[in-house]
Amino acid sequence: MLTVLPLDRSWLFRRIPPAGAPAESWSTVDLPHCPFVADLDGRSHWFGECEYQRTVTLPAETPAGRIALGVGAAMHSATIAIDGVPCGVHAGGYLPFEVDLPPALRDGQPHTLTLRLDNRDNPEVPPGKAYADLDFCWYGGLYRDVVLRCYPELHFPDPVACGLSARGGLLVRTLAASPASARLSLRATVANSTGTNLAARVEFAVLDGERIVAAAAGAPATVSPGVPAVVETELEVPDPRLWQPDHPALYHLHATLVSADGAVLDRRIVRFGIRRIRFSRAHGFEINGRRHRLRGTNRHQDHPYVGYAVPPAAQWRDARRIKEAGFDYVRLSHYPQSPDFLDACDELGLVVMNCIPGWQFMGGEKFRSACEQNARDLVRRDRNHPCVVLWELSLNETEMDEPFMARLHAIGHEELPGDQMFTCGWQDRYDVFIRSRQHGQIHEWVNGDKALVIAEYGDWEFYATTSGLDQRADPPSGNAHTRQRRSEGERGLRQQAQNHQSALNDTLASPAVLDGQWSMFDYPRGYDPVRAACGVMDVFRLPKFSYYFYRSQRGPKETGERWTGGSVVFIASHWTADSDLAVPVFTNCEEIELRLNGLTVARSGPDRGPAASSLPHPPCIFELPVFQSGTLHAIGYIGGKPVGEHRVSTPGDPARLNIEFDAMSVAPAPGASDLLIAHARIEDAAGNLCVGFRWPINFVATGDGILVGPSSVAAEAGVASILLRLNPDASGLTLQARHDGAAGIFVDRRELALPHTGVTPGPAATRLVPAERFR
């Protein structure tokens, strides 16, 4: 059967200097890898050519068929060679590709594999726009997995690499679904790499856990050399567990390729969900006949210092952060993101808008052809993910001609036939129309029964409303915009939350069936030397006030097996002498009692004013007569009973340093690397965060991990954050943080044990960060 050999460890790496410059020496790296330490604001970005090299030796039991190199993503133009002889090229930085390798690898000897990559501006490779004019960053390197695939002579080919519409690998489609029964369409493609016709049949089995719930066998097929055969069948699944955002049930399809004499030739397993979706203006967005009005966000995939080189466990943490922020929908703007992230969305019940690379740029014929190929490869890669409900086969905020859009729309339906493909685009030429709030007319737009989705809201309309698509527009006077860092303090964080509240209230009153605020995380961009601080969390995944506003819009009874929900009570104040005396409390409770130093200020229900008329859970607003140092204490009530609380105390003088690891109960799978964010908090003697502390903190890591980026970090609003890269098979590390300055000497030292629990929530790898403390 197919043999897959992971090649994520022990690569030699070097950057290729410009002509005349001294050569770089080789260093040893593991994948995923970024060829430079990225600046948090996108400055000093490295562009050029680099090389990855390692030895490969095939095992003696390698099947007799094709040998191919599978690359999850390489940024963005690649040349592949074996023993110095080129054997393939690829252009495109976001989607996987496969290159056939020479049969000479079967000699049992070591061979040298080299990948040479180029990430410089290239108008023929989407997104095409020059980095200096782009509103996000691309990085470089081998930033996803690389494997050797040794196929048997008769095999299931890779869906992206096989080059056949709606074929390759396995395709599962839900034709009908109800609590009583589901009808599935199963399709498998079989390829023959020999010189003669071969006969085989495909046996299908659908498993719920370890239990087979349905099985079928396709008719025997004769597969000719170079002409793949398609085997299709349908089967019924009784009493199915349907995939829903609040109950994301998953199944596995096992497909076994069997020869005429009964020998097993190849086998594949694909995970899927049983669900039917529908988009219409009249009925909204439906899953399995149930209407959902989901709140959503937009995500860029980069992480501090490492760019796109983010391993599976860290991808999983991001998905969980999004779910726990109160969102059930995420747009993957503006390019294909990691399959590991989509796996997490499948498991958490996050629905996804999947996007091809593009932003405010249209190139020539080669660029257009690349966009079409990206559309095909994206659908082929992700078509079995139940989380993906929309396919943005459109170049974001780009003027596109009618034939180009028509071709992209048609490609979507060619690659995923049937009635479960919904293309979308920012021009009204697709199955679903997506419009940003800053472009206006979200209430007036009508096109028959076509559904409207608000792709973006909450940022640009408060930043430069008269500039259209010009991202270089001068920022507005004053500070009423949404781009607020945590260091802006209470005023800035409240302003951001206020903007999001009014914008969400407006989108909920529109005919839109889904909406996505901009954005989940702060992010760097190419055209501006200052990162976009419009995230509800910062680049180190620390929440701002607006994070708790969105979290409070989820119902108090909503939670999941793999994420935390429930009642929310959050006081949007630092409660210092400079604090506003109008104190909002974000909550999904029926009433809030606010106390100051133990005495009740008031007990109130949610605000029902014009800015909250459409919100599921408006905040409660309290007017305090004067500032009094001490503690604000909010208690939430449902049915007259207390169900949640939150305290905010006036911080005293700095007295201690406290390290906390942001592991979120997610540990890497055995043998996998990991990225882990750690925070050093400066606290007063009572444990209150000293939000005015902005001085440097020095970090030292020992054990199975290293610091990525600087070891001395200035605190922002009382917290200094760093990134740790954990070695494969790491068992633990020790992190020390120290401040030695005018405020005093503060030191903390923490050990982190790392049990291998897999890339799903399990036993906590370390104590969790109580998110409400990072206000």
Side-chain angles (χ1 to χ4, degrees), residues 129-311:
K129 195 168 191 175
Y131 177 83
D133 295 319
L134 198 63
D135 189 38
F136 56 90
C137 293
W138 75 74
Y139 296 87
L142 291 175
Y143 69 91
R144 291 190 189 142
D145 62 319
V146 176
V147 298
L148 272 183
R149 296 181 183 136
C150 304
Y151 291 96
E153 293 177 330
L154 205 60
H155 61 274
F156 299 113
D158 179 81
V160 175
C162 76
L164 300 171
S165 295
R167 285 175 281 177
L170 308 178
L171 172 59
V172 186
R173 294 180 295 144
T174 302
L175 304 179
S178 73
S181 177
R183 184 162 53 93
L184 303 180
S185 167
L186 310 179
R187 177 181 292 181
T189 301
V190 183
N192 180 354
S193 61
T194 72
T196 59
N197 292 342
L198 295 175
R201 69 179 188 277
V202 179
E203 297 178 351
F204 299 99
V206 175
L207 277 71
D208 184 356
E210 297 183 357
R211 182 172 63 95
I212 297 176
V213 296
T222 297
V223 188
S224 300
V227 184
V230 176
V231 178
E232 296 186 85
T233 190
E234 294 182 10
L235 53 72
E236 299 284 331
V237 177
D239 304 316
R241 297 185 304 120
L242 303 181
W243 192 94
Q244 296 271 10
D246 56 355
H247 185 71
L250 294 169
Y251 290 82
H252 289 85
L253 171 65
H254 292 235
T256 304
L257 185 61
V258 182
S259 69
D261 59 4
V264 174
L265 304 175
D266 201 4
R267 179 175 288 126
R268 293 289 187 280
I269 301 174
V270 65
R271 192 171 68 172
F272 70 99
I274 298 175
R275 60 104 172 110
R276 294 274 300 169
I277 59 174
R278 178 186 179 190
F279 285 90
S280 71
R281 183 182 180 89
H283 296 91
F285 170 50
E286 294 182 330
I287 307 180
N288 302 319
R290 174 180 161 195
R291 183 166 183 164
H292 293 265
R293 183 58 173 85
L294 305 179
R295 288 170 300 280
T297 187
N298 284 257
R299 181 212 189 212
H300 279 303
Q301 69 179 357
D302 37 7
H303 275 52
Y305 306 125
V306 299
Y308 290 168
V310 182

Side-chain angles (χ1 to χ4, degrees), residues 10 27 57-58 67 203 219 258 303 317 365 463 498 622 642 654 686 691 741:
S10 303
S27 60
T57 305
L58 293 187
I67 306 170
E203 297 178 351
V258 182
H303 275 52
R317 293 185 190 104
E365 288 306 313
Y463 193 75
Q498 178 182 316
F622 296 89
V691 293

Side-chain angles (χ1 to χ4, degrees), residues 105-128:
L105 265 65
R106 297 186 184 282
D107 60 8
Q109 300 300 309
H111 294 267
T112 300
L113 169 66
T114 304
L115 284 87
R116 189 177 181 115
L117 308 182
D118 187 343
N119 73 333
R120 291 173 292 187
D121 287 350
N122 189 332
E124 296 178 354
V125 180

Side-chain angles (χ1 to χ4, degrees), residues 9 21 52 160 163 373 387 430 481 494 509 526 548 603 669 687 689 711:
R9 307 272 286 267
Y52 293 83
V160 175
Q373 192 61 51
C387 66
Y430 295 85
H481 54 82
R494 279 201 190 183
Y548 298 99
R603 183 165 170 169
L689 183 66
S711 59

Side-chain angles (χ1 to χ4, degrees), residues 561-585:
E561 294 180 1
R562 301 187 173 193
W563 58 278
T564 302
S567 60
V568 175
V569 180
F570 180 80
I571 303 168
S573 174
H574 289 152
W575 200 236
T576 68
D578 297 327
S579 290
D580 195 316
L581 295 179
V583 177
V585 178

Side-chain angles (χ1 to χ4, degrees), residues 521-533:
F521 307 114
D522 291 353
Y523 62 95
R525 53 261 174 96
Y527 84 92
D528 195 309
V530 178
R531 81 194 73 147

Side-chain angles (χ1 to χ4, degrees), residues 317-393:
R317 293 185 190 104
D318 257 10
R320 180 170 170 176
R321 290 181 182 107
I322 292 171
K323 188 76 173 183
E324 293 190 345
F327 302 120
D328 292 302
Y329 150 67
V330 57
R331 178 184 181 220
L332 304 186
S333 47
H334 301 289
Y335 43 78
Q337 300 187 18
S338 170
D340 298 311
F341 183 81
L342 292 177
D343 285 343
C345 292
D346 286 341
E347 296 174 27
L348 292 167
L350 271 170
V351 304
V352 167
M353 181 189 293
N354 223 355
C355 312
I356 61 173
W359 188 84
Q360 294 191 8
F361 179 83
M362 174 61 80
E365 288 306 313
K366 288 186 177 180
F367 175 87
R368 290 165 175 258
S369 177
C371 291
E372 294 182 9
Q373 192 61 51
N374 280 334
R376 292 193 183 281
D377 292 348
L378 179 69
V379 180
R380 291 170 183 174
R381 188 193 72 167
D382 297 337
R383 63 196 183 187
N384 289 315
H385 283 282
C387 66
V388 180
V389 299
L390 286 168
W391 303 85
E392 188 177 348
L393 306 184

